[in-house]
């Protein structure tokens, strides 16, 4: 199930601001394990699983379902499409990619640019700028305009790739991997007893500054909020102390953005249930939904779990499935560990 | 001495515990209610008379410093910045690592061994490390773990013409002044908020202002002062010894002129030295407070601090005394019904 | 027909961010009688309510403009300054500035060898004073000035300082006057401090707590020689925003605007602004979220003393706003 969810999630299109299709997949998989599904004004999806306590406290989980992508900026006289980015796109990863333009109907296209043969030697030393790239949909302007208009979103065409050792690669694993963690957590919880109400929120617009998480947190007003995002996985060119290894478990974040007691409890639960974990240090901003959640209303006790992921913000992002499973399990046991707990007391300094 | 205790204590953004403990002890006898919120802000209320406004006064507990990132095979500590620092100041400084304040040093290659031109290039945080004298990775790991906070090891010293040198005067000077403020009684209700995480984005003040929802707010700070002889006067921002400084504009706030002027005039009338903090970059908790909910009138009064965000901040005791006086005078000047919002 | 007299007053009135008193009075006078209720909030936002039983809609246009603040006056009476909002040293050089009391000055610069080194810190304002004392009779540290450029209108174009965003204020005022029977409760908010980070819109939206937000602002164009690629052209209609750095227009609001324009044959363009932001950026993140969009007036040379817009675009923007509010 997890793999099929991942496949559907990753292959669904949901550029920041256009998360509708991804939300449908989330709803389909989350529905059997929740009491209620809600979509808020910004488009974030809440899967609510009621707790058993009389006056249940609220735990909010947040993983963002938006992905970075492209947007139609101009259709030129020959029918080529110029585009801009939504979220942090590395222009070097775009050349000759296959794309889908989400207009009135989906159009297939290829990203092209001037061929190297006609370039000056010095030009070849520089990467091609996004503004100099064009999408070729093989149609004349009049045809293109029937289906495409300015502002339509564009995604890279990519199937989920199965690598060795249970690793998978694709686009949008940042942060659909996190969404999959919430799925695993809800599934675990379905055969456990928990006091707190659980709000598993697939947020929108994280990639442009956690704009979905801010109003969602205001709306839910949780006692504890935990963001699930991706972190830098180790690769040969990156320093060891800035990355985490794939397959060695989710990272538990520590720092000013994280309530120390939430961190401690997550670590304790991981140890108690032999769930492998790694540690992530953040002296300041985490750049995740947790950063927005923490300062909502009168303040929220936040936590942060991240899945090690290689090649972030490319269309071949890579994660290990066991890390997702372990993160889901960790969150479920964390939630259950709060049964009978006086949260006011637990969260005091 | 309160200011010495406060500046000796360590409190990086998110790790303000030691400072918070001192403050909680100090203010207890003087306030009606104390709460610590979900981020660690101390919110202390001193009730006034009915019909008078609720005044929130904020000073931040956190200071800039460092955080342990990893321990390398030789037992040396790699670190990151916690809060905005000029990394050029780091080299050749003593530091205190973790809750147990393990002493360490940030070393550098001997000048004799450097290549030509090396001295012209500043050393980056990534190149630096802390040596606690450990023999091995295991040795260090017994005492230090990733995520531990690191503070500058800098003594409180009184020197020169009534000056003080210490670390973290930004903003323990404000905290000290706020504690002293609570020792007097007022008609207005004073909500003293000792905030967390100012140095990484005014985060404590954001949630505290939301919760307190005051009629008016005051921020007590340590602020930039560059009145040294090789800086042109137009870039001084504040002058040391010329009294506390009232803000006009910084990169987070345009301060309401009438409020700034009122405080300025009260100071002049009472013979307390006062100056304006010239518009410049930087920002303080006011940036978060004044845009909270439907908007909260907010002003900031600061003690000028030379060499701010370094182990050796320098301030004038006279300016500090002036800050305490002016805050008290202003609170006493507020009349029944003033500033109250419906 | 364009109300030239009102435009002139809106555009030439002093009002850098945080110093909106004068422009607020001009607007308050103008809208008196058209709104059911007018109030000013803690930050200085002017809020005019047109009562109705339907949804609460907040229409925001910012009344502040970019400007400068005095930081120092030297012995010879020259004035150093810092920027309020996005002031480019290149456009500021040798421009005239005007202080609140009408004192005029010109922006000069120290000797520099390379224009690339031009920064505001090397520049100063000369008000024609010969000494510090003389200068301080008129100008003090902390005083604020705006750029000075008289309003010009000829044929279809309007040229002035502060079209960003007094033209938005103009659109709002004319829409308020034209709005006869809206089923909705409309809050026309003339915001403060947009140019320094959408600060007024943030608190106003919290107070109003609307169901929908519409900001009115200017946007850039891509129609000048060798401009950066952008589909918006001056004179080709009002612009309906898709995206900028502060907001992705909410799909329902965007759709409402496009459909309304189509139904009423109002010329419109779709706008993608790569950089910059506007009040909707703050409004849409208020409380539990406010679906928000933006109606923009295409404007050339934004943040210069000679910003330029088309009269037709302004009229189309008013028409679109009125039709949207009446829906």
């Amino acid at each position: 199930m997890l793999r099929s969810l991942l496949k559907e999630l990753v292959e669904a299109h949901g550029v920041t601001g256009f998360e509708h299709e991804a939300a449908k997949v989330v709803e389909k998989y989350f529905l059997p394990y929740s009491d209620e599904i809600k979509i808020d004004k910004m488009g974030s999806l809440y899967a609510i699983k009621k707790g058993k306590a009389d006056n249940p406290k609220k735990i909010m989980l947040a993983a963002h379902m938006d992905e970075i992508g492209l947007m139609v900026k101009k259709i030129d006289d020959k029918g080529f499409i110029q585009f801009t980015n939504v979220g942090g796109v590395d222009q070097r990863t775009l050349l000759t990619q296959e794309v889908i333009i989400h207009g009135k109907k989906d159009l297939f296209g290829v990203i092209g640019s001037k061929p190297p043969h006609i370039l000056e030697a010095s030009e070849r030393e520089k990467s091609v700028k996004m503004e100099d790239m064009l999408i070729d949909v093989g149609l004349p302007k009049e045809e293109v305009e029937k289906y495409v208009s300015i502002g339509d979103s564009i995604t890279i065409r990519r199937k989920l790739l199965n690598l060795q050792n249970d690793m998978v690669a694709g686009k949008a694993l940042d942060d659909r991997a996190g969404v999959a963690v919430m799925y695993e957590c809800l599934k675990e919880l379905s055969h456990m007893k928990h006091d707190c109400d659980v709000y598993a929120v697939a947020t929108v617009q994280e990639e442009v500054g956690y704009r979905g998480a801010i109003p969602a947190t205001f709306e839910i007003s949780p006692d504890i909020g935990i963001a699930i995002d991706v972190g830098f996985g180790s690769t040969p060119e990156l320093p060891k102390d800035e990355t985490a290894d794939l397959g060695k478990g989710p990272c538990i974040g520590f720092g000013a953005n994280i309530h120390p007691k939430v961190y401690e409890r997550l670590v304790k639960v991981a140890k108690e249930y032999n769930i492998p974990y790694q540690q992530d240090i953040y002296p300041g901003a985490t750049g995740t939904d947790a950063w927005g959640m923490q300062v909502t209303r009168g303040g929220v006790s936040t936590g942060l779990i991240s899945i090690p992921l290689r090649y972030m913000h490319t269309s071949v992002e890579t994660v290990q499935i066991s890390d997702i499973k372990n993160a889901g399990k960790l969150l479920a046991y964390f939630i259950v560990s709060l049964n009978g707990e006086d949260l006011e007391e637990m969260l005091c300094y | 001495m309160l200011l010495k205790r406060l500046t000796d204590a360590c409190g990086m953004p998110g790790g303000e515990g030691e400072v918070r403990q001192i403050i909680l002890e100090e203010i207890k006898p003087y306030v009606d209610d104390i709460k610590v919120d979900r981020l660690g802000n101390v919110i202390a209320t001193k009730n006034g008379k009915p019909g008078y406004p609720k005044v929130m006064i904020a000073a931040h507990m956190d200071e800039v410093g460092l955080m342990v990132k990893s321990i390398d095979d030789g037992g040396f500590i790699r670190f990151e910045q916690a809060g905005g620092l000029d990394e050029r100041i780091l080299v050749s400084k003593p530091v205190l690592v973790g809750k147990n304040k393990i002493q360490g040093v940030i070393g550098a290659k001997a000048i004799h061994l450097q290549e030509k031109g090396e001295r012209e290039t500043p050393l980056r945080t990534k190149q630096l490390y802390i040596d606690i004298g450990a023999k091995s990775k295991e040795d260090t790991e017994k005492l230090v773990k990733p995520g531990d906070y690191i503070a500058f090891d800098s003594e409180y010293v009184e020197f020169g013409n009534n000056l003080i040198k210490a670390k973290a005067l930004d903003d323990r000077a404000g905290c000290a002044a706020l504690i002293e403020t609570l020792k007097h009684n007022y008609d207005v209700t004073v909500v003293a908020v000792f905030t967390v995480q100012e140095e990484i984005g005014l985060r404590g003040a954001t949630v505290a202002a939301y919760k307190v929802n005051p009629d008016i707010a005051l921020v007590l700070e340590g602020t930039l002062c560059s009145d040294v002889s090789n800086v042109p006067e137009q870039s001084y921002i504040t002058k040391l010894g010329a009294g506390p400084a009232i803000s006009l504009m910084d990169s987070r706030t345009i301060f309401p002129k009438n409020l700034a002027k009122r405080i300025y005039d009260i100071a002049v009338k009472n013979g307390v030295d006062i100056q304006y903090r010239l518009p410049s970059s930087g920002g303080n908790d006011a940036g978060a407070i004044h845009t909270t909910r439907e908007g909260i009138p907010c002003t900031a009064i600061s003690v000028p601090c030379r060499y701010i965000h370094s182990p050796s901040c320098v301030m004038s005791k006279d300016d500090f005394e002036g800050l305490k006086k002016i805050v008290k005078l202003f609170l006493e000047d507020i009349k029944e019904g003033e500033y109250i919002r419906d | 027909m364009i109300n030239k007299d009102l435009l002139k007053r809106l555009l030439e009135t002093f009002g850098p961010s945080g110093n909106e008193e004068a422009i607020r009075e001009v607007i308050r006078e103008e809208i008196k009688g058209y709104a059911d209720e007018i109030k000013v909030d803690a930050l200085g936002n002017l809020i005019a309510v047109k009562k109705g039983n339907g949804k609460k809609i907040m229409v925001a246009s910012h009344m502040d403009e970019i400007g400068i603040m005095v930081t120092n006056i030297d012995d010879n009476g020259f004035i150093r300054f810092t920027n309020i909002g996005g002031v480019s040293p290149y456009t500021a050089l040798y421009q005239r500035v005007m202080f609140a009391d009408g004192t005029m000055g010109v922006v000069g610069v120290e000797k520099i060898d390379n224009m690339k080194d031009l920064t505001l810190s090397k520049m100063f304002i000369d008000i024609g004073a010969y000494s510090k004392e003389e200068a301080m009779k008129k100008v003090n540290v902390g005083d604020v000035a705006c750029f000075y450029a008289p309003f010009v209108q000829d044929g279809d174009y309007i040229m002035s300082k502060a079209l960003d965003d007094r033209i938005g204020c103009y659109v709002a005022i004319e829409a308020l006057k034209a709005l006869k029977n809206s089923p909705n409760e409309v809050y026309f908010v003339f915001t403060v401090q947009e140019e320094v980070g959408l600060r007024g819109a943030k608190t106003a939206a919290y107070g109003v707590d609307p169901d929908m937000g519409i900001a009115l602002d200017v946007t850039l164009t891509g129609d000048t020689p060798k401009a950066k690629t952008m589909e918006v052209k001056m004179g080709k209609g009002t612009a309906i925003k898709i995206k900028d750095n502060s907001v992705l227009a909410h799909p329902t609001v965007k759709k409402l605007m496009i459909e309304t324009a189509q139904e009423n044959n109002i010329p419109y363009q779709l706008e993608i602004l790569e950089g910059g932001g506007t009040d909707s950026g703050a409004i849409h993140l208020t409380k539990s979220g406010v679906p928000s969009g933006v109606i923009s007036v295409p404007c050339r040379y934004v943040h210069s003393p000679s910003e330029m817009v088309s009269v037709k675009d302004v009229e189309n923007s008013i028409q679109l706003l009125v039709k949207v509010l009446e829906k």
Side-chain angles (χ1 to χ4, degrees), chain B residues 210 233-234 248-249 251-254 257 278-279 290-297, chain C residues 17 19 21 42-43 69 71-72 80 82-84 141-142 199 202-203 206-207:
Chain B
Y210 184 89
E233 198 184 324
Q234 76 232 30
L248 294 165
M249 178 173 85
S251 45
R252 300 297 292 261
T253 315
I254 297 172
K257 279 163 298 205
L278 299 187
H290 85 287
T291 55
T292 296
R293 292 187 187 244
E294 291 168 61
I296 295 163
Chain C
S17 311
N19 296 265
E21 296 87 349
L43 260 72
M69 186 182 272
T71 57
N72 180 263
R80 299 286 174 161
T82 188
N83 60 304
I84 301 176
V141 167
R199 293 178 194 158
K202 181 170 186 265
T203 61
Y206 189 94

Short mmCIF file of all heavy atoms in Angstrom, two decimals, chain B residues 210 233-234 248-249 251-254 257 278-279 290-297, chain C residues 17 19 21 42-43 69 71-72 80 82-84 141-142 199 202-203 206-207:
data_model
loop_
_atom_site.label_atom_id
_atom_site.label_comp_id
_atom_site.label_asym_id
_atom_site.label_seq_id
_atom_site.Cartn_x
_atom_site.Cartn_y
_atom_site.Cartn_z
N TYR B 210 0.53 38.66 20.91
CA TYR B 210 -0.79 38.12 20.56
C TYR B 210 -1.56 37.76 21.84
O TYR B 210 -2.73 38.07 21.99
CB TYR B 210 -0.66 36.90 19.66
CG TYR B 210 -1.98 36.37 19.19
CD1 TYR B 210 -2.56 36.84 18.02
CD2 TYR B 210 -2.68 35.42 19.94
CE1 TYR B 210 -3.79 36.38 17.60
CE2 TYR B 210 -3.92 34.96 19.54
CZ TYR B 210 -4.48 35.43 18.35
OH TYR B 210 -5.70 34.98 17.94
N GLU B 233 30.19 61.00 11.46
CA GLU B 233 29.12 61.24 12.42
C GLU B 233 27.75 60.78 11.93
O GLU B 233 26.92 60.32 12.70
CB GLU B 233 29.08 62.73 12.77
CG GLU B 233 28.32 63.01 14.05
CD GLU B 233 28.20 64.49 14.36
OE1 GLU B 233 29.16 65.23 14.07
OE2 GLU B 233 27.14 64.89 14.87
N GLN B 234 27.55 60.88 10.63
CA GLN B 234 26.23 60.50 10.11
C GLN B 234 25.94 59.01 10.28
O GLN B 234 24.81 58.57 10.10
CB GLN B 234 26.10 60.89 8.63
CG GLN B 234 26.84 59.99 7.68
CD GLN B 234 27.75 60.77 6.74
OE1 GLN B 234 28.26 61.82 7.08
NE2 GLN B 234 27.96 60.26 5.55
N LEU B 248 13.37 55.88 15.86
CA LEU B 248 12.52 56.55 14.88
C LEU B 248 12.09 55.57 13.80
O LEU B 248 10.93 55.47 13.44
CB LEU B 248 13.30 57.70 14.22
CG LEU B 248 13.67 58.86 15.15
CD1 LEU B 248 14.72 59.74 14.50
CD2 LEU B 248 12.43 59.68 15.49
N MET B 249 13.07 54.84 13.27
CA MET B 249 12.77 53.88 12.21
C MET B 249 13.90 52.87 12.13
O MET B 249 15.06 53.22 12.26
CB MET B 249 12.63 54.60 10.87
CG MET B 249 12.37 53.67 9.69
SD MET B 249 12.01 54.56 8.15
CE MET B 249 13.66 54.87 7.54
N SER B 251 14.61 48.60 10.24
CA SER B 251 14.10 47.86 9.09
C SER B 251 12.81 47.09 9.39
O SER B 251 12.20 46.54 8.50
CB SER B 251 15.16 46.93 8.51
OG SER B 251 15.81 46.24 9.52
N ARG B 252 12.39 47.05 10.64
CA ARG B 252 11.16 46.35 10.97
C ARG B 252 10.02 47.28 11.39
O ARG B 252 8.87 46.85 11.42
CB ARG B 252 11.41 45.32 12.08
CG ARG B 252 12.43 44.26 11.72
CD ARG B 252 11.99 43.40 10.55
NE ARG B 252 10.86 42.58 10.89
CZ ARG B 252 10.94 41.29 11.24
NH1 ARG B 252 12.10 40.69 11.26
NH2 ARG B 252 9.86 40.60 11.54
N THR B 253 10.31 48.51 11.76
CA THR B 253 9.28 49.37 12.32
C THR B 253 9.50 50.83 11.94
O THR B 253 10.64 51.30 11.94
CB THR B 253 9.30 49.29 13.88
OG1 THR B 253 9.40 47.94 14.30
CG2 THR B 253 8.05 49.92 14.48
N ILE B 254 8.40 51.52 11.64
CA ILE B 254 8.41 52.97 11.64
C ILE B 254 7.65 53.35 12.90
O ILE B 254 6.47 53.04 13.05
CB ILE B 254 7.72 53.55 10.39
CG1 ILE B 254 8.50 53.13 9.13
CG2 ILE B 254 7.63 55.06 10.48
CD1 ILE B 254 7.80 53.49 7.84
N LYS B 257 5.44 58.79 15.83
CA LYS B 257 6.20 59.97 16.24
C LYS B 257 5.69 60.57 17.55
O LYS B 257 6.48 61.01 18.38
CB LYS B 257 6.10 61.03 15.14
CG LYS B 257 7.06 60.79 14.00
CD LYS B 257 6.64 61.59 12.79
CE LYS B 257 5.26 61.15 12.33
NZ LYS B 257 4.91 61.34 10.96
N LEU B 278 19.18 57.05 15.43
CA LEU B 278 18.99 57.46 14.05
C LEU B 278 18.47 56.29 13.21
O LEU B 278 18.79 55.13 13.47
CB LEU B 278 20.31 57.97 13.46
CG LEU B 278 20.86 59.19 14.21
CD1 LEU B 278 22.05 59.74 13.48
CD2 LEU B 278 19.79 60.27 14.37
N PRO B 279 17.64 56.63 12.24
CA PRO B 279 17.08 55.57 11.40
C PRO B 279 18.20 54.74 10.79
O PRO B 279 19.16 55.30 10.24
CB PRO B 279 16.33 56.33 10.31
CG PRO B 279 16.42 57.77 10.62
CD PRO B 279 17.24 57.97 11.82
N HIS B 290 4.10 45.60 16.92
CA HIS B 290 3.19 46.64 16.42
C HIS B 290 2.28 46.15 15.30
O HIS B 290 1.26 46.78 15.03
CB HIS B 290 3.97 47.90 16.00
CG HIS B 290 4.52 47.89 14.61
ND1 HIS B 290 5.59 47.14 14.23
CD2 HIS B 290 4.13 48.56 13.49
CE1 HIS B 290 5.84 47.35 12.95
NE2 HIS B 290 4.98 48.20 12.47
N THR B 291 2.58 45.02 14.68
CA THR B 291 1.67 44.50 13.65
C THR B 291 0.85 43.32 14.17
O THR B 291 0.30 42.56 13.40
CB THR B 291 2.44 44.05 12.40
OG1 THR B 291 3.44 43.10 12.79
CG2 THR B 291 3.12 45.21 11.70
N THR B 292 0.78 43.18 15.48
CA THR B 292 0.00 42.09 16.06
C THR B 292 -1.48 42.44 16.09
O THR B 292 -1.84 43.59 16.36
CB THR B 292 0.50 41.81 17.50
OG1 THR B 292 1.84 41.36 17.41
CG2 THR B 292 -0.34 40.73 18.16
N ARG B 293 -2.31 41.44 15.83
CA ARG B 293 -3.77 41.63 15.82
C ARG B 293 -4.13 42.88 15.00
O ARG B 293 -3.71 43.00 13.88
CB ARG B 293 -4.31 41.71 17.24
CG ARG B 293 -4.18 40.37 17.97
CD ARG B 293 -4.89 40.45 19.31
NE ARG B 293 -4.65 39.26 20.11
CZ ARG B 293 -5.61 38.41 20.48
NH1 ARG B 293 -6.85 38.61 20.11
NH2 ARG B 293 -5.33 37.36 21.21
N GLU B 294 -4.88 43.81 15.63
CA GLU B 294 -5.29 45.00 14.88
C GLU B 294 -4.28 46.12 14.94
O GLU B 294 -4.56 47.25 14.54
CB GLU B 294 -6.65 45.48 15.39
CG GLU B 294 -7.75 44.50 15.04
CD GLU B 294 -9.03 44.81 15.79
OE1 GLU B 294 -9.57 45.90 15.59
OE2 GLU B 294 -9.49 43.96 16.57
N GLY B 295 -3.09 45.83 15.44
CA GLY B 295 -2.05 46.85 15.52
C GLY B 295 -1.93 47.39 16.93
O GLY B 295 -2.93 47.67 17.59
N ILE B 296 -0.71 47.50 17.43
CA ILE B 296 -0.47 47.95 18.79
C ILE B 296 0.57 49.08 18.75
O ILE B 296 1.68 48.88 18.26
CB ILE B 296 0.06 46.78 19.66
CG1 ILE B 296 -1.02 45.70 19.77
CG2 ILE B 296 0.49 47.28 21.04
CD1 ILE B 296 -0.51 44.36 20.24
N PRO B 297 0.21 50.27 19.25
CA PRO B 297 1.19 51.35 19.27
C PRO B 297 2.40 50.91 20.11
O PRO B 297 2.24 50.41 21.22
CB PRO B 297 0.45 52.51 19.96
CG PRO B 297 -0.99 52.17 19.86
CD PRO B 297 -1.08 50.68 19.83
N SER C 17 5.63 56.17 3.77
CA SER C 17 5.22 55.16 4.74
C SER C 17 5.41 55.66 6.18
O SER C 17 6.46 56.19 6.52
CB SER C 17 6.06 53.89 4.57
OG SER C 17 6.08 53.52 3.23
N ASN C 19 3.89 58.09 7.46
CA ASN C 19 3.57 59.52 7.50
C ASN C 19 2.40 59.82 6.58
O ASN C 19 2.47 60.68 5.71
CB ASN C 19 4.79 60.34 7.09
CG ASN C 19 5.94 60.16 8.06
OD1 ASN C 19 6.10 60.95 8.98
ND2 ASN C 19 6.71 59.10 7.88
N GLU C 21 -0.63 60.95 7.28
CA GLU C 21 -1.69 61.83 7.82
C GLU C 21 -2.35 62.69 6.74
O GLU C 21 -3.58 62.73 6.64
CB GLU C 21 -1.13 62.74 8.92
CG GLU C 21 -0.63 62.02 10.16
CD GLU C 21 0.82 61.58 10.04
OE1 GLU C 21 1.38 61.65 8.92
OE2 GLU C 21 1.40 61.15 11.05
N ALA C 42 -5.25 51.53 14.68
CA ALA C 42 -4.07 51.89 15.47
C ALA C 42 -2.86 52.24 14.62
O ALA C 42 -2.04 53.07 15.01
CB ALA C 42 -3.73 50.75 16.43
N LEU C 43 -2.72 51.63 13.46
CA LEU C 43 -1.56 51.93 12.63
C LEU C 43 -1.81 53.10 11.67
O LEU C 43 -0.90 53.60 11.05
CB LEU C 43 -1.13 50.70 11.82
CG LEU C 43 0.07 49.95 12.42
CD1 LEU C 43 -0.36 49.22 13.67
CD2 LEU C 43 0.69 49.01 11.43
N MET C 69 14.19 59.40 4.95
CA MET C 69 14.18 59.96 6.30
C MET C 69 15.56 60.53 6.62
O MET C 69 16.58 59.93 6.29
CB MET C 69 13.81 58.88 7.33
CG MET C 69 13.63 59.43 8.75
SD MET C 69 13.25 58.14 9.97
CE MET C 69 11.48 58.06 9.88
N THR C 71 18.86 61.46 8.53
CA THR C 71 19.64 60.81 9.58
C THR C 71 20.67 61.75 10.21
O THR C 71 21.13 61.52 11.31
CB THR C 71 20.41 59.60 9.02
OG1 THR C 71 21.24 60.04 7.94
CG2 THR C 71 19.46 58.54 8.52
N ASN C 72 21.06 62.78 9.46
CA ASN C 72 22.12 63.64 9.98
C ASN C 72 22.15 64.94 9.18
O ASN C 72 21.84 64.96 8.00
CB ASN C 72 23.47 62.90 9.84
CG ASN C 72 24.63 63.74 10.36
OD1 ASN C 72 25.31 64.40 9.60
ND2 ASN C 72 24.84 63.71 11.67
N ARG C 80 22.02 64.19 5.37
CA ARG C 80 22.15 62.76 5.01
C ARG C 80 20.83 62.08 5.28
O ARG C 80 20.07 62.48 6.15
CB ARG C 80 23.26 62.12 5.84
CG ARG C 80 24.62 62.74 5.62
CD ARG C 80 25.18 62.33 4.28
NE ARG C 80 26.44 63.03 4.00
CZ ARG C 80 27.31 62.61 3.10
NH1 ARG C 80 27.08 61.52 2.37
NH2 ARG C 80 28.42 63.28 2.90
N THR C 82 18.26 58.21 4.79
CA THR C 82 18.11 56.78 4.49
C THR C 82 16.78 56.58 3.78
O THR C 82 15.94 57.47 3.77
CB THR C 82 18.22 55.93 5.77
OG1 THR C 82 18.25 54.55 5.40
CG2 THR C 82 17.01 56.14 6.67
N ASN C 83 16.62 55.43 3.15
CA ASN C 83 15.41 55.21 2.36
C ASN C 83 14.24 54.72 3.20
O ASN C 83 14.43 54.04 4.21
CB ASN C 83 15.69 54.18 1.26
CG ASN C 83 16.13 52.85 1.83
OD1 ASN C 83 17.10 52.78 2.58
ND2 ASN C 83 15.40 51.79 1.53
N ILE C 84 13.04 55.07 2.77
CA ILE C 84 11.81 54.45 3.29
C ILE C 84 11.21 53.69 2.12
O ILE C 84 10.75 54.30 1.16
CB ILE C 84 10.82 55.50 3.80
CG1 ILE C 84 11.46 56.35 4.91
CG2 ILE C 84 9.54 54.85 4.30
CD1 ILE C 84 10.56 57.48 5.40
N VAL C 141 16.51 65.82 12.22
CA VAL C 141 16.73 64.38 12.13
C VAL C 141 15.42 63.65 12.38
O VAL C 141 14.68 64.01 13.29
CB VAL C 141 17.79 63.96 13.16
CG1 VAL C 141 17.82 62.45 13.31
CG2 VAL C 141 19.16 64.47 12.74
N GLY C 142 15.12 62.67 11.55
CA GLY C 142 13.86 61.94 11.68
C GLY C 142 12.76 62.49 10.78
O GLY C 142 11.74 61.85 10.59
N ARG C 199 2.64 46.21 6.15
CA ARG C 199 2.35 46.20 7.59
C ARG C 199 0.93 46.65 7.91
O ARG C 199 0.28 46.11 8.80
CB ARG C 199 3.35 47.09 8.33
CG ARG C 199 4.75 46.52 8.28
CD ARG C 199 5.74 47.44 8.98
NE ARG C 199 7.11 47.07 8.64
CZ ARG C 199 8.14 47.88 8.73
NH1 ARG C 199 7.98 49.12 9.16
NH2 ARG C 199 9.35 47.47 8.41
N LYS C 202 -1.77 44.02 7.10
CA LYS C 202 -1.76 42.89 8.04
C LYS C 202 -2.73 43.16 9.20
O LYS C 202 -3.58 42.33 9.52
CB LYS C 202 -0.34 42.67 8.56
CG LYS C 202 -0.20 41.51 9.50
CD LYS C 202 1.28 41.20 9.78
CE LYS C 202 1.44 39.96 10.61
NZ LYS C 202 1.56 40.22 12.05
N THR C 203 -2.60 44.33 9.83
CA THR C 203 -3.45 44.60 11.00
C THR C 203 -4.87 44.93 10.57
O THR C 203 -5.82 44.56 11.26
CB THR C 203 -2.88 45.76 11.83
OG1 THR C 203 -2.83 46.94 11.02
CG2 THR C 203 -1.48 45.45 12.32
N TYR C 206 -6.72 41.75 9.93
CA TYR C 206 -7.04 41.07 11.19
C TYR C 206 -8.30 41.68 11.80
O TYR C 206 -9.18 40.98 12.28
CB TYR C 206 -5.86 41.17 12.17
CG TYR C 206 -6.06 40.30 13.39
CD1 TYR C 206 -5.54 39.02 13.43
CD2 TYR C 206 -6.80 40.76 14.47
CE1 TYR C 206 -5.75 38.21 14.53
CE2 TYR C 206 -7.02 39.95 15.57
CZ TYR C 206 -6.49 38.67 15.60
OH TYR C 206 -6.70 37.87 16.68
N GLY C 207 -8.38 43.01 11.75
CA GLY C 207 -9.53 43.70 12.32
C GLY C 207 -10.80 43.49 11.52
O GLY C 207 -11.86 43.24 12.08
#
